[in-house]
Amino acid sequence: MLALKLLLVPALLAVISMAGRRWGAGVAGWLAGFPSLTGPVLFFLAIERGPDFTVQAAVVSLSTVFSAVAFGVAYSWACTRLHWFWCLACALSAWTAAALLLSRLPLTAAMSLAISLLTLFVGPRVYSRAQAQWGGSAMPAYELVLRMVAGAAMVLAVTATAEALGPAWTGLFAAFPVMSTVLAVFSHRANGPGFAVALLRAMVGGFYSFIAFSLTVSLLLAHASVAVTFVAAVAAAVVVQWAAKAIMMRLA
């Protein structure tokens, strides 16, 4: 199990990073919205903590599109003027404020779903606009390693402290913007603010799959096995991801 924790998320981060290098910020952002961190965390929680704990965590995770978009909006505006370090500080402050607000709400699956869908309706309208399409530059090997290490560390930290955190904060930290942080900061440093903004804006489209995954786990895990639940959740996320992409391409 430890080996799986150490390998799964870093591998996903590596794929997304290389996709961004090969096909640009839009594809990287779209893939980064997929529950590549939250999904594995919820899976490990289901095995280690049982369905009741995981269902509660999944309900909270379902609402965290709100805090994820708060992170992206804050970073996108800050990076038009500030050094990446201060951009990250602004974005993490926005995420923390949004997470604290969510932690005080009596969340149900329906309420979490409504919060996330409303966020995805409003969110694209409040991001800053990339002024141009920045091309990707070569990515040093050490940066890819750092991205992978950050992902593995977050999975280990959340699953190890789940009992102490409780299901609500475990659900919030399961959706901590590790992917957004790593991709935004390294992309900002390597390719400039325009690339980072384009990537963060593109992530909004990917969050529909995140919603599909978390909603499936929150509704199905209490009635089905872990294997059936997570196969169904991945299938739902993939279908919704491609459907959302097709719709957005038609509207573009």
Side-chain angles (χ1 to χ4, degrees):
M1 186 62 68
L2 177 61
L4 188 59
K5 290 181 182 180
L6 291 173
L7 293 174
L8 183 57
V9 173
L12 290 170
L13 265 170
V15 169
I16 292 170
S17 298
M18 289 186 286
R21 177 69 185 94
R22 176 66 176 81
W23 291 296
V27 171
W30 178 64
L31 290 173
F34 198 82
S36 48
L37 174 63
T38 306
V41 168
L42 291 177
F43 174 73
F44 294 131
L45 288 176
I47 294 174
E48 298 172 0
R49 303 293 173 185
D52 292 339
F53 187 101
T54 307
V55 166
Q56 295 179 63
V59 167
V60 176
S61 290
L62 177 58
S63 70
T64 59
V65 170
F66 175 68
S67 51
V69 170
F71 176 99
V73 169
Y75 196 104
S76 74
W77 282 103
C79 76
T80 62
R81 299 189 177 192
L82 301 176
H83 183 269
W84 69 263
F85 178 84
W86 298 111
C87 296
L88 180 59
C90 291
L92 290 176
S93 296
W95 182 89
T96 301
L100 287 171
L101 176 60
L102 292 173
S103 72
R104 300 180 66 85
L105 298 177
L107 294 172
T108 63
M111 185 176 180
S112 293
L113 178 62
I115 289 171
S116 288
L117 291 178
L118 180 61
T119 299
L120 292 187
F121 176 76
V122 175
R125 295 162 171 78
V126 295
Y127 275 79
S128 69
R129 298 281 178 178
Q131 298 302 312
Q133 180 63 51
W134 274 253
S137 62
M139 178 176 60
Y142 79 89
E143 290 200 358
L144 179 59
V145 172
L146 287 176
R147 298 179 189 205
M148 296 168 70
V149 169
M154 193 63 196
V155 172
L156 291 173
V158 172
T159 55
T161 59
E163 185 174 358
L165 290 171
W169 276 101
T170 297
L172 289 170
F173 279 114
F176 187 83
V178 171
M179 194 78 73
S180 300
T181 296
V182 172
L183 292 176
V185 169
F186 285 120
S187 297
H188 187 182
R189 291 177 59 232
N191 305 304
F195 191 95
V197 171
L199 184 147
L200 290 166
R201 285 180 59 84
M203 287 184 70
V204 174
F207 285 137
Y208 286 101
S209 65
F210 180 96
I211 291 173
F213 185 96
S214 298
L215 182 63
T216 301
V217 173
S218 67
L219 296 178
L220 189 58
L221 187 56
H223 311 287
S225 67
V226 172
V228 169
T229 297
F230 282 87
V231 168
V234 171
V238 170
V239 169
V240 168
Q241 186 88 329
W242 284 108
K245 183 66 172 177
I247 292 170
M248 285 186 285
M249 287 179 66
R250 287 186 179 184
L251 294 176

